[in-house]
């Protein structure tokens, strides 16, 4: 992003990106929240959480890992310590996805709530592809055109049955976990049933300078 500050801690209109993410999470009916963060950021994050006023939700930190999935594994271990049950639903969100709407999270949880047979094991929001989609074997030359009706872009947050997902993650230790890029990959590898719900075009992740500028512009438009 061109600076020393991690993208989730960048200040936009006097508020960290992650603060907006936390504000939405705080509105959910959760038993507990684990935030993966380095030691130097924990005090300010705790202050933010208290300021949000979600004291009824148990709160803990986990250490960052070698990659995203290792960080998630650390958070799952912490959730176990907090008393998470195998049948519980764990929601995994990106800190730098500040425009996630509460309605999307409620839609994800509703799939589990409406499941009377215990068949739902994972739910992932997705966006259908609008553009023509190609495959390139070497990353330089086009190899073939893909059927875009069968290609979906995944978003976060994603939700999983805690016990199944924790086992799926542990089964990747110690080496294969380092190859994982998306939260749903361990579930797919383990053969978990991963259902989809419609995602939200505005639910983008801040990855580039352009993404950050987009978020700044949106915050300016809604600024009182």
């Amino acid at each position: 992003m061109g600076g020393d500050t991690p993208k989730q801690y960048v200040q936009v209109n006097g508020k960290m990106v992650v603060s907006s993410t936390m504000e939405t999470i705080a509105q959910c009916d959760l038993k507990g929240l684990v935030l993966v963060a380095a030691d130097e950021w924990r005090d300010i994050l705790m202050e933010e959480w208290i300021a949000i006023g979600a004291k009824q939700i148990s709160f803990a930190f986990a250490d960052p890992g070698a990659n995203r999935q290792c960080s998630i594994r650390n958070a799952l271990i912490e959730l176990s310590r907090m008393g998470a049950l195998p049948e519980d639903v764990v929601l995994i969100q990106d800190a730098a996805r500040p425009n996630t709407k509460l309605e999307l999270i409620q839609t994800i949880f509703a799939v589990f709530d409406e499941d009377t047979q215990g068949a739902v094991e994972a739910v992932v929001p997705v966006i259908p592809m609008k553009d023509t989609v190609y495959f390139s074997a070497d990353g330089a030359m086009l190899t073939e055109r893909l059927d875009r009706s069968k290609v979906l872009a995944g978003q976060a947050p994603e939700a999983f049955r805690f016990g199944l997902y924790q086992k799926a993650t542990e089964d990747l230790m110690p080496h294969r976990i380092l190859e994982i890029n998306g939260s749903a990959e361990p579930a797919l590898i383990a053969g978990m049933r991963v259902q989809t719900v419609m995602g939200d075009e505005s639910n983008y992740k801040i990855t580039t300078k352009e993404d950050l500028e987009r978020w700044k512009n949106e915050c300016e438009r809604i600024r009182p």
Side-chain angles (χ1 to χ4, degrees), residues 41-58:
W41 295 102
R42 294 187 178 185
D43 286 344
I44 190 170
L45 288 170
M46 180 59 75
E47 291 175 4
E48 286 289 289
W49 187 243
I50 293 172
I52 289 169
K55 296 180 181 179
Q56 74 279 7
I57 302 176
S58 299

Side-chain angles (χ1 to χ4, degrees), residues 55-185:
K55 296 180 181 179
Q56 74 279 7
I57 302 176
S58 299
F59 184 87
F61 289 105
D63 293 327
N67 69 350
R68 186 174 188 273
Q69 196 61 34
C70 288
S71 294
I72 290 172
R73 176 177 180 260
N74 291 342
L76 295 174
I77 292 171
E78 189 61 39
L79 283 173
S80 290
R81 296 190 183 118
M82 295 169 69
L85 302 174
E87 65 271 20
D88 285 339
V89 176
V90 57
L91 187 78
I92 298 175
Q93 172 65 317
D94 298 320
R97 205 178 282 266
N99 211 27
T100 301
K101 305 295 190 300
L102 178 61
E103 291 76 14
L104 176 59
I105 298 176
Q106 291 172 332
T107 296
I108 293 170
F109 281 142
V111 178
F112 289 95
D113 292 340
E114 295 165 4
D115 175 36
T116 59
Q117 304 298 321
V120 177
E121 297 177 344
V123 176
V124 174
V126 297
I127 295 292
M129 301 300 292
K130 296 179 179 178
D131 298 320
T132 303
V133 182
Y134 298 99
F135 174 77
S136 173
D138 61 3
M141 302 293 291
L142 296 183
T143 305
E144 62 179 304
R145 182 183 65 83
L146 302 179
D147 182 354
R148 69 181 180 188
S149 68
K150 298 180 180 179
V151 179
L152 302 170
Q155 294 187 325
E158 299 152 298
F160 309 89
R161 292 289 181 191
F162 178 76
L164 291 173
Y165 188 68
Q166 185 172 37
K167 183 179 185 305
T169 298
E170 290 297 330
D171 286 348
L172 298 172
M173 292 294 291
H175 303 300
R176 196 174 182 185
I177 194 171
L178 299 175
E179 303 170 0
I180 301 299
N181 295 308
S183 302
E185 286 185 59

Side-chain angles (χ1 to χ4, degrees), residues 188-209:
L188 292 172
I189 292 170
M192 291 174 61
R193 295 186 295 272
V194 182
Q195 298 184 215
T196 64
V197 296
M198 182 58 68
D200 180 358
E201 293 282 1
S202 68
N203 181 32
Y204 58 91
K205 182 179 180 181
I206 296 178
T207 305
T208 65
K209 291 181 179 179

